[in-house]
Amino acid sequence: MVLRDGVLVDTTTQARALLDIGPHETLAWEEVRAALRPFFGPIPADPDSSQMILPAPDDPETRLEITSGGGRRHLSISAPPVGAGDRLRWRVGARELALLRQVMTRTPAPAWLSDDENRVIWSNAAYTDLCTQQGADPATPPFTLLPGDDLEDRVTRASIPTQEGTALSWYEIQSCRIPDGRLHFAQNIDAAIEAETAQRTFLQTLTKIFAHLPIALAVFDRKHRLVLFNPALIDLTRLSAEFLSGRPNLLTFFDMLREQHMMPEPKDYGSWREHLQDVINAASSDHYVETWNLPSGLTYRITGRPHPDAGIAFLIEDISAEISLTRGYRQEIEITQSVLETLEDAVVVFSQLGHLTFCNAAYRALWGDETEATISATDIAEATRSWQSSCHPSPIWGDLREFVLTLRDRAGWDAEIHTIAGERLFCRAEPLAGGATLVRFSPMPCGIVRQCRNVLQSHA
């Protein structure tokens, strides 16, 4: 290779192949130095002596001889002859090298190789395009990477401005150590960053909502560590915020509830541990709902639900007022039923839809000994047919059916019926709250019989 005034003017065929240039292509001295650097290392920009010999770092028998003088610079490379085996292996390696170059050229992810001073000594086309978009020098990476241990691989997140300059574009950069420096691969993670941001925003929104929720919430992750709770959990369980903020696991959480007497006391600690594992398994499969009657008199409803990513969520609700109201309501119903059972009159109650909801012992004795199951399945139509079959013909049965099923305002009325057995009964229909109807059958007193006869005679 011959250079005149810093420009390549003459080369052999082998030299052109080494420099990877065409027959009529010329290079400047700086470009020749850059092309020979991978083989012989750094070459002085202006050799001091008229003759310099540089051996190849990995092959001392291969030498570069530089002769300067008279505005000309002559470069010659001497190397031992290549045998047939080395030539064949070189051809295979050349094909593989061409393939790898095509792969790296078409790889959409930016990749580059940097030296110990973070200077880029190799890069692919995607990296060059990224630098061009950013208006950055390709010799310096556009990403800010924190220094790390050279012996360890690491993954770093870094951001750069977008083309519009109004936002940041995020990349995840994997760096690994190789003999020539550090190899870096960058992958765009804007979608992942947006998803994480949306998740954090959603979690903050849920946290604000849960802060005003009267039901206590405790969410555990797949490792059964507490990751989310609301203030109601502190109020209902009497557990400290410091303890809950420490992210206790499920077993520690329930153990602390037991120590605070905020859950039913187990018979023995061994069975308690087994029961707790059953609770976790049931909550994981969405089958856990339990009512805790606490020693303090409070009643809690505990619901376990599976959480995304194999987590578990527990809802703790204070239902003491509801239970107390239900118990009082049931007690009132039982008292009312007991009172009606003591009446000598036959009493039956129908719902707004005409279903029989209650009857006392006198009713069952009057109209036949029927079981509770049969009575509960009876409606007003079946009941009036049964009554009609045991009585002489009367026009009140149709009126009674219409009275029970009507949705209009109603007023109570009464009538006299005669059973086939010869008994006279006083039938009274009264509207009740909620559209229900009470029908009462009582023996006809003598005074009422005479009064009814007088009324009939006066109308006649």
Side-chain angles (χ1 to χ4, degrees):
M1 291 177 282
V2 179
L3 292 94
R4 181 184 298 119
D5 297 329
V7 179
L8 185 66
V9 295
D10 190 15
T11 59
T12 63
T13 303
Q14 292 295 325
R16 289 186 177 277
L18 179 64
L19 298 176
D20 194 19
I21 60 176
H24 305 290
E25 188 176 354
T26 61
L27 297 177
W29 168 238
E30 293 297 330
E31 295 173 322
V32 174
R33 289 177 59 230
L36 295 178
R37 181 183 180 188
F39 307 104
F40 299 99
I43 300 174
D46 188 10
D48 296 334
S49 60
S50 59
Q51 186 177 12
M52 177 180 291
I53 298 177
L54 299 174
D58 54 352
D59 185 7
E61 296 183 7
T62 300
R63 298 179 180 182
L64 171 65
E65 183 178 349
I66 305 176
T67 304
S68 304
R72 297 166 62 92
R73 186 168 288 139
H74 182 270
L75 288 79
S76 63
I77 299 174
S78 61
V82 178
D86 291 337
R87 183 179 295 276
L88 291 175
R89 292 180 62 86
W90 174 82
R91 288 181 178 178
V92 173
R95 288 195 297 266
E96 183 178 358
L97 178 60
L99 175 61
L100 291 177
R101 284 178 175 174
Q102 292 180 7
V103 171
M104 294 308 299
T105 300
R106 296 178 180 274
T107 299
W112 69 98
L113 179 64
S114 61
D115 58 15
D116 294 336
E117 297 180 0
N118 201 30
R119 292 191 299 263
V120 177
I121 56 180
W122 172 89
S123 62
N124 66 349
Y127 172 85
T128 305
D129 294 341
L130 181 63
C131 291
T132 302
Q133 295 173 4
Q134 295 295 320
D137 183 5
T140 304
F143 303 100
T144 301
L145 302 179
L146 298 178
D149 189 351
D150 290 340
L151 300 179
E152 293 183 358
D153 297 342
R154 66 178 186 269
V155 177
T156 308
R157 283 188 173 185
S159 62
I160 56 177
T162 59
Q163 294 184 11
E164 296 77 8
T166 58
L168 295 177
S169 183
W170 284 89
Y171 287 83
E172 185 176 79
I173 304 167
Q174 298 183 3
S175 304
C176 55
R177 186 68 176 175
I178 61 175
D180 294 335
R182 272 197 173 273
L183 186 60
H184 310 275
F185 299 92
Q187 182 178 6
N188 187 277
I189 57 171
D190 286 342
I193 294 295
E194 290 178 3
E196 292 175 1
T197 303
Q199 184 181 19
R200 286 194 297 268
T201 304
F202 180 68
L203 185 60
Q204 292 174 357
T205 303
L206 287 182
T207 302
K208 293 179 181 178
I209 295 175
F210 293 153
H212 303 284
L213 191 67
I215 300 176
L217 174 67
V219 179
F220 297 83
D221 61 13
R222 64 186 309 166
K223 296 181 180 179
H224 292 170
R225 311 273 316 178
L226 182 65
V227 294
L228 178 65
F229 66 93
N230 62 346
L233 185 66
I234 301 175
D235 298 336
L236 294 184
T237 63
R238 301 177 187 172
L239 299 178
S240 65
E242 292 78 11
F243 170 76
L244 297 176
S245 300
R247 300 186 62 192
N249 59 32
L250 262 173
L251 295 178
T252 305
F253 175 77
F254 281 105
D255 279 342
M256 186 60 68
L257 286 180
R258 177 175 173 268
E259 292 181 6
Q260 295 290 335
H261 304 289
M262 296 308 297
M263 63 181 308
E265 184 67 23
K267 295 180 180 179
D268 60 271
Y269 192 76
S271 64
W272 154 247
R273 283 288 181 172
E274 296 178 0
H275 174 70
L276 185 56
Q277 189 60 46
D278 294 339
V279 169
I280 296 174
N281 296 336
S284 301
S285 58
D286 199 11
H287 290 146
Y288 180 70
V289 178
E290 197 170 82
T291 300
W292 290 355
N293 295 310
L294 305 183
S296 61
L298 297 175
T299 304
Y300 287 175
R301 178 165 54 225
I302 314 299
T303 306
R305 291 288 182 265
H307 194 66
D309 196 21
I312 301 176
F314 284 95
L315 302 174
I316 303 177
E317 183 180 3
D318 186 358
I319 58 173
S320 303
E322 177 184 343
I323 293 297
S324 177
L325 182 62
T326 302
R327 289 173 179 171
Y329 179 68
R330 289 178 179 174
Q331 185 177 11
E332 290 181 2
I333 292 179
E334 291 175 356
I335 293 175
T336 302
Q337 291 180 346
S338 299
V339 171
L340 293 177
E341 288 289 350
T342 61
L343 295 178
E344 296 181 357
D345 293 346
V347 176
V348 61
V349 177
F350 295 93
S351 68
Q352 187 178 16
L353 299 178
H355 298 296
L356 192 153
T357 58
F358 172 79
C359 63
N360 63 355
Y363 173 86
R364 293 189 292 272
L366 175 62
W367 300 111
D369 186 12
E370 298 182 356
T371 62
E372 292 291 339
T374 303
I375 292 175
S376 62
T378 302
D379 59 11
I380 183 61
E382 296 176 358
T384 52
R385 282 196 297 267
S386 175
W387 302 338
Q388 187 174 2
S389 64
S390 301
C391 298
H392 292 292
S394 174
I396 72 165
W397 308 120
D399 298 338
L400 187 57
R401 285 191 290 268
E402 182 180 356
F403 182 80
V404 170
L405 298 175
T406 187
L407 300 178
R408 300 187 302 271
D409 293 337
R410 302 173 298 170
W413 57 274
D414 52 57
E416 180 183 358
I417 59 175
H418 301 267
T419 65
I420 296 177
E423 185 177 4
R424 293 182 177 180
L425 297 178
F426 182 78
C427 176
R428 178 70 181 176
E430 291 284 353
L432 301 179
T437 304
L438 181 143
V439 180
R440 180 163 54 97
F441 300 95
S442 57
M444 180 72 71
C446 295
I448 294 181
V449 172
R450 287 194 298 269
Q451 184 178 358
C452 290
R453 287 177 179 175
N454 295 333
V455 170
L456 293 175
Q457 293 175 359
S458 62
H459 284 286

